[in-house]
Amino acid sequence: MAIPKAENMWVDGRLVPWDTAQVPLLTHTMHYGVGVFEGIRAYETARGPAVFRLREHMRRLEESAHIVLMQLPYTADQLCAATVELIRANGQKRCYLRPVAWYGDEAMGLGAVNTVHVGIAAFEWGAYLGEEALRSGIRAKISSFQRRSANAIPTKGKITGAYVNSVLAKREAKLGGYDEAIMLDENGFVSEATGENVFIVKDGELWTPKLGGAILAGITRDAVLRIARDMGLSVHERDFTRELLYCADECFLTGTAAEVTPVREVDDRRVGEGRMGPVTRELQATFFRAARGQEPRYASWLTYA
Ligand code: PMP
């Protein structure tokens, strides 16, 4: 996707014109991958733009930084305020937001601990896997790349360098003619997709890999679990193997970018009826209503800009 530029970015405490937000060649994070980031969406609502679960995203950014021993120079509250300031300054009705924290360029070498910089970009980004995917579902492939284990690079952090693992899996899947890769963990259990959590529906019950496993604690995952429980669905958070995906009645992915995207095929096997199933449809519809400010019971998930 070519990124449509907005007017401003927020960098190190102030708004700057988009094109002036640059990093030097010897930026430590660019060489060794120790940076942390978030992906957040603001939705258009009748009351103006609303950021979905902003505080939880900024808390997760703090946790990611804590995991890699990076001292963020701003609190979660300050970064929430910066996000609102940026959306207002850009006059955006809706956007995708990308906060990122990185080490500067004072010293080289793995042991260097440079100045920490923080930036936030906000830009238009439509359905990550395509509008059609949201309606009809995607074709997924189990990756030949194993999900990195938590003892290799912690999986609970959104750590920039860790995404090489996801990019390898994504490229392999796309080159093979699939839309997305689902990765197995070091024990062979289903973990997550390259930038999404995985769910299945079997006999009216919802299954998703447990938080203690090699997955990111997805904020959309959490929202969907809450909606599912409120719908009265039984939910199982536990390990399962790939054939449960093949034999599921429904399968879908959740993520800030991908939202709630049905999976119609895994490893060339049709999942259920090969289209969006009724449980996925209801979860997706409720999720979108919540994000667009149309579900009073989930009103606390929104921060209006
Ligand atoms: N897993 C990975 C590896 C991700 O990068 C993401 C996107 N942040 C997710 C899951 C979904 O998380 P969220 O719903 O918080 O966007």
Side-chain angles (χ1 to χ4, degrees), residues 143 157 213 275:
S143 184
R275 55 180 131 90

Side-chain angles (χ1 to χ4, degrees), residues 93 95 124:
K93 289 196 177 116
C95 59
E124 278 276 340

Side-chain angles (χ1 to χ4, degrees), residues 150-163:
N151 287 320
I153 303 177
T155 45
K156 291 292 172 285
K158 262 183 94 70
I159 301 164
T160 56
Y163 276 77

Side-chain angles (χ1 to χ4, degrees), residues 5-116:
K5 292 182 187 178
E7 198 179 328
N8 305 287
M9 288 199 197
W10 183 94
V11 183
D12 291 337
R14 59 196 182 93
L15 296 172
V16 297
W18 178 287
D19 285 324
T20 64
Q22 309 283 343
V23 293
L25 185 62
L26 294 182
T27 298
H28 194 273
T29 298
M30 193 162 78
H31 297 256
Y32 305 119
V34 186
V36 297
F37 71 106
E38 270 303 317
I40 311 175
R41 271 188 195 274
Y43 286 86
E44 186 171 354
T45 78
R47 288 175 52 196
V51 190
F52 189 71
R53 306 195 72 178
L54 175 58
R55 172 106 196 133
E56 287 92 330
H57 280 283
M58 291 309 185
R59 279 287 305 137
R60 189 170 66 187
L61 187 76
E62 282 188 335
E63 282 183 11
S64 298
H66 180 67
I67 288 170
V68 299
L69 293 170
M70 178 184 252
Q71 301 280 340
L72 287 184
Y74 304 97
T75 63
D77 283 341
Q78 286 172 320
L79 294 172
C80 289
T83 304
V84 168
E85 183 190 2
L86 178 64
I87 296 170
R88 285 188 187 152
N90 284 340
Q92 286 156 315
K93 289 196 177 116
R94 75 190 85 82
C95 59
Y96 177 84
L97 293 141
R98 171 53 58 88
V100 58
W102 69 96
Y103 284 117
D105 64 346
E106 295 93 341
M108 247 307 160
L110 294 175
V113 181
N114 292 348
T115 307
V116 178

Side-chain angles (χ1 to χ4, degrees), residues 39 57 60 147 158 163 166 192-197 216-221 254-257:
H57 280 283
R60 189 170 66 187
R147 191 77 186 133
K158 262 183 94 70
Y163 276 77
S166 284
E192 59 187 342
T194 60
E196 304 91 11
N197 293 110
L216 187 75
I219 291 165
T220 321
R221 173 190 184 278
T254 64
T256 297

Side-chain angles (χ1 to χ4, degrees), residues 113-172:
V113 181
N114 292 348
T115 307
V116 178
H117 300 273
V118 183
I120 307 174
F123 49 91
E124 278 276 340
W125 199 351
Y128 176 61
L129 295 164
E131 282 296 332
E132 185 54 27
L134 286 175
R135 285 188 292 271
S136 310
I138 59 153
R139 298 178 61 240
K141 178 93 184 87
I142 299 291
S143 184
S144 75
F145 290 97
Q146 182 181 295
R147 191 77 186 133
R148 69 189 196 274
S149 78
N151 287 320
I153 303 177
T155 45
K156 291 292 172 285
K158 262 183 94 70
I159 301 164
T160 56
Y163 276 77
V164 171
N165 188 219
S166 284
V167 170
L168 289 172
K170 181 82 178 183
R171 287 188 176 164
E172 179 188 61

